[in-house]
Amino acid sequence: MSKIKLLSPRLANQIAAGEVVERPSSVIKELLENSIDAGATRLDIDIDQGGVKLMRVKDNGGGVEKDDLSLALNRHATSKIYVLDDLEAVETLGFRGEALASISSVSRLKLSSRTENADQAWLAETEGRDMQANLSTTAHNRGTTVEVRDLFFNTPARRKFLRTEKTEFNHLEEVVKRQALSRFDVSFELGHNGKAIHMLRPAPTIRDKEQRIAS
């Protein structure tokens, strides 16, 4: 009988990714929810090849402190709950702290961020490996940009289950539409392969809301 062993952090993250990251649209859902939880009122989403090659989400939210950047890529690291009682009053879209760790374990991920009072923006990079994120300075306005490249590059068996570029983008676009219909106070810009697909400004009035729904 085989001995019981602890899973390595990398393998544990990749197993968790099986629940969190099914396809590119799953990644976009998690990233958009993180941005909205951070108070963003503007979301710029750039996609290449249906999301398999590139997904980039840029927001103008509160940003992430330098000391928290690496931690944000660790499993079960979250700013949304601290004690058990917090679960009874969760008001955010996410709270488990698994999304970024799972995404980074199956992609090449860059997380750039700057808080309002910070003198400098910082960049954390990982490449699907069981290692500490590399930190460096970068240029960035207040807010956060998450760039996900080469999804499933290190898990080719899972990449085989992805559909055509058009199908994967349709799933991804549906996620963006759902968010845009639930948050009229947030602007959404979505581009695919360098082409603008949606440019939705905030919709404060009834007429603006009707126009967003129609578009």
Side-chain angles (χ1 to χ4, degrees), residues 6 19 46 73 114 193:
L6 281 173
E19 300 178 17
D46 292 312
L73 299 175
R114 183 173 185 170
N193 293 337

Side-chain angles (χ1 to χ4, degrees), residues 12-211:
N13 282 344
Q14 289 186 331
I15 291 171
E19 300 178 17
V20 177
V21 187
E22 181 182 356
R23 62 200 326 161
S25 61
S26 310
V27 174
I28 288 298
K29 176 181 179 294
E30 299 290 348
L31 297 185
L32 293 184
E33 288 181 351
N34 274 352
S35 292
I36 290 171
D37 282 343
T41 58
R42 174 172 179 158
L43 294 166
D44 296 327
I45 308 142
D46 292 312
I47 308 298
D48 280 349
Q49 297 179 22
V52 176
K53 185 63 179 174
L54 169 70
M55 291 173 278
R56 184 189 298 115
V57 175
K58 181 178 182 180
D59 70 44
N60 65 345
V64 182
E65 299 279 356
K66 175 195 173 184
D67 293 342
D68 290 341
L69 270 183
S70 295
L71 193 59
L73 299 175
N74 288 343
R75 195 175 178 203
H76 301 151
T78 179
S79 63
K80 297 164 186 176
I81 59 173
Y82 295 108
V83 296
L84 185 60
D85 288 347
D86 291 343
L87 284 173
E88 301 294 332
V90 169
E91 295 182 345
T92 53
L93 294 167
F95 59 88
R96 294 184 305 160
E98 284 201 296
L100 285 178
S102 298
I103 294 166
S104 69
S105 73
V106 291
S107 69
R108 296 184 170 94
L109 186 144
K110 293 183 179 181
L111 173 60
S112 307
S113 196
R114 183 173 185 170
T115 57
E116 186 170 7
N117 298 321
D119 297 328
Q120 179 67 60
W122 290 87
L123 164 68
E125 297 181 77
T126 64
E127 281 202 12
R129 295 190 294 248
D130 180 14
M131 60 178 288
Q132 192 73 11
N134 294 318
L135 273 182
S136 59
T137 58
T138 189
H140 200 285
N141 294 327
R142 179 198 166 201
T144 301
T145 299
V146 182
E147 183 177 290
V148 178
R149 290 187 178 272
D150 303 324
L151 187 64
F152 301 140
F153 79 98
N154 55 351
T155 51
R158 297 188 56 196
R159 196 161 187 165
K160 290 178 182 176
F161 285 96
L162 295 178
R163 303 303 182 189
T164 64
E165 177 180 319
K166 185 177 186 299
T167 298
E168 293 301 337
F169 181 74
N170 286 343
H171 283 291
L172 189 155
E173 184 184 17
E174 186 66 23
V175 168
V176 176
K177 286 180 179 178
R178 288 171 184 262
Q179 291 287 1
L181 288 171
S182 69
R183 292 300 300 262
F184 290 107
D185 57 321
V186 179
S187 74
F188 293 81
E189 291 195 11
L190 173 64
H192 187 216
N193 293 337
K195 179 183 177 182
I197 305 297
H198 294 291
M199 297 183 69
L200 304 171
R201 304 270 71 80
T205 68
I206 294 296
R207 178 173 175 79
D208 292 335
K209 291 178 173 66
E210 290 173 345
Q211 288 180 339

